[in-house]
Amino acid sequence: MENLALIDSFSEFKDDKLIDRVTLMAILEDVFRNALKKKFGSDENFDIIINPDKGDMEIWQRRVIVADDDLDLDHLEITLTEARKIEPDFEIGEEVSEEVKLVDLGRRAILALRQNLISKIHEHDNTNLYKQFKDLIGEIYTAEVHHVRPRVVILVDDDGNEIVLPKEKQIPSDFFRKGDNVRGIIESVELKGNKPQIIMSRTSELFLEKLFEQEIPEVFDGLIMVKKVVRIPGEKAKVAVDSYDDRIDPVGACVGMKGSRIHGIVRELGNENIDVINFTDNIQLLITRALSPAKVSSIKINEETKRAEVFLKLEEVSKAIGRGGHNIRLAGQLTGYELDVIREGSTVENDDDVELTEFSDEIDAWIIEEFAKIGLDTARSILGQNVNDLVRRTDLEEETILDVMRILKEEFEG
């Protein structure tokens, strides 16, 4: 071939692992046929022979010989005089095949041809990439931190594919440096223009479920089923598990001896507190288990409204609600019921107790709200607590708590 630089530019694609020989030939032919259409108006009388292994190609133009005085000559025809320059014994009506040299297309056409080829290759790569990661949606994937930005972390996998981990898909305690390996699930693949954008998530419930599959052999083998996962990323999660085999303790198998199996998952999720509970179709029992570590006295269920009144002893209320209300919120999500906490004997045994909201003139509303978050909304429920414990469980300073306790004591001593 005369234009060796162009041929070299084609051959650089032939070893591309994403493109098989047949596909590469089809792309090359498509690109060249488009170029021929632009120059000659049609490509119907052109034969293209491509050798992708050697990186070379030939283009042959077929034309019918007509008389020299034919005034309506088109690109499908050649005059007898011109034909006999190729082969002296040609006659009118015969077909002539003549090789078209790439250099004859012109420099601008050749540059456009190469650019079109590169574009087609990238388009093919992007299509393959889109299909590849579409099949990986919902699966755990590992990639390396390439760039850390305020609102997003850019990851790159072993094949050089770019993966995006947005801030809202990161666990609050996540901290990444360039070169760190990061695990998450492929949550979605979106086409931005012609380029696929691959989104990873570490906050999805599915990520936790897939971690169970990856870390616990019985879950991977299907002996234990993860029935439902709910989580507040980085804070707390509840996982309901079940097994068809009565000989297997699903909770024990998931947690492991002294938490050995669950520990790796907890560490991966930034020390997220994970409660593993036995699933059951008995909704009362499921609610009781979901509110662990609190001990439930009794439950009154309304199937129509999907609400349940949960009766607890006073000392169990804060455990049921949990820090920031996380425990009761997750228990509700796990069971599908709106859970209302009722203190046992609150209307009889503690008639002398006073709702905390009654002190709104002396105690700020946000402080009352902080106590309510951990299930303390009466004077006696707070006075029965240890000050250091309240400092640990709320966002309140010790001085503030002592001041509240002083106000509440004056109510009962006055």
Side-chain angles (χ1 to χ4, degrees), residues 334-403:
L334 190 77
T335 60
Y337 278 74
E338 189 76 31
L339 305 179
D340 299 320
V341 170
I342 309 293
R343 292 169 181 77
E344 272 193 323
S346 59
T347 57
V348 179
E349 297 172 19
N350 297 309
D351 280 345
D352 61 338
D353 204 352
V354 182
E355 294 286 333
L356 204 56
T357 51
E358 296 292 323
F359 296 89
S360 56
D361 291 343
E362 300 171 86
I363 303 172
D364 290 342
W366 70 271
I367 296 174
I368 293 173
E369 179 62 25
E370 274 299 308
F371 283 115
K373 283 180 182 177
I374 61 169
L376 305 176
D377 55 9
T378 68
R380 290 198 182 279
S381 68
I382 292 172
L383 290 173
Q385 300 291 322
N386 177 275
V387 175
N388 291 332
D389 188 44
L390 289 176
V391 171
R392 181 179 59 81
R393 291 166 56 203
T394 68
D395 289 330
L396 300 172
E397 300 287 337
E398 182 178 352
E399 184 181 349
T400 303
I401 293 169
L402 288 172
D403 193 41

Side-chain angles (χ1 to χ4, degrees), residues 215-413:
E215 301 292 334
I216 299 160
E218 290 88 345
V219 176
F220 180 81
D221 293 336
L223 298 172
I224 293 173
M225 294 147 292
V226 176
K227 301 291 284 188
K228 190 164 185 181
V229 176
V230 292
R231 62 187 290 225
I232 299 167
E235 292 285 345
K236 191 173 180 66
K238 289 184 182 287
V239 182
V241 295
D242 197 9
S243 174
Y244 290 126
D245 191 335
D246 293 337
R247 295 169 296 178
I248 296 176
D249 170 19
V251 173
C254 290
V255 174
M257 289 288 290
K258 296 182 179 178
S260 58
R261 285 183 165 183
I262 202 81
H263 181 67
I265 299 174
V266 170
R267 190 169 59 247
E268 175 69 57
L269 301 181
N271 293 321
E272 192 169 303
N273 189 315
I274 302 173
D275 291 342
V276 185
I277 68 168
N278 271 316
F279 178 80
T280 175
D281 290 323
N282 182 326
I283 192 62
Q284 291 219 11
L285 184 54
L286 186 63
I287 291 172
T288 300
R289 291 172 178 173
L291 283 169
S292 175
K295 292 181 174 63
V296 176
S297 299
S298 61
I299 301 171
K300 185 179 179 182
I301 291 175
N302 188 322
E303 291 281 359
E304 290 182 6
T305 60
K306 289 290 180 181
R307 295 183 75 94
E309 292 182 343
V310 182
F311 294 86
L312 303 114
K313 291 180 180 176
L314 186 60
E315 63 270 20
E316 299 297 323
V317 170
S318 60
K319 296 178 191 175
I321 293 172
R323 179 176 172 80
H326 294 334
N327 197 60
I328 196 163
R329 190 194 320 169
L330 289 175
Q333 291 173 8
L334 190 77
T335 60
Y337 278 74
E338 189 76 31
L339 305 179
D340 299 320
V341 170
I342 309 293
R343 292 169 181 77
E344 272 193 323
S346 59
T347 57
V348 179
E349 297 172 19
N350 297 309
D351 280 345
D352 61 338
D353 204 352
V354 182
E355 294 286 333
L356 204 56
T357 51
E358 296 292 323
F359 296 89
S360 56
D361 291 343
E362 300 171 86
I363 303 172
D364 290 342
W366 70 271
I367 296 174
I368 293 173
E369 179 62 25
E370 274 299 308
F371 283 115
K373 283 180 182 177
I374 61 169
L376 305 176
D377 55 9
T378 68
R380 290 198 182 279
S381 68
I382 292 172
L383 290 173
Q385 300 291 322
N386 177 275
V387 175
N388 291 332
D389 188 44
L390 289 176
V391 171
R392 181 179 59 81
R393 291 166 56 203
T394 68
D395 289 330
L396 300 172
E397 300 287 337
E398 182 178 352
E399 184 181 349
T400 303
I401 293 169
L402 288 172
D403 193 41
V404 168
M405 285 187 161
R406 177 186 57 76
I407 294 168
L408 300 180
K409 282 179 182 175
E410 286 176 359
E411 168 69 21
F412 296 108
E413 291 172 359

Side-chain angles (χ1 to χ4, degrees), residues 203-220:
T203 57
S204 167
E205 281 84 5
L206 190 55
F207 181 40
L208 178 49
E209 182 177 335
K210 290 295 180 178
L211 283 172
F212 266 67
E213 283 184 19
Q214 200 170 80
E215 301 292 334
I216 299 160
E218 290 88 345
V219 176
F220 180 81

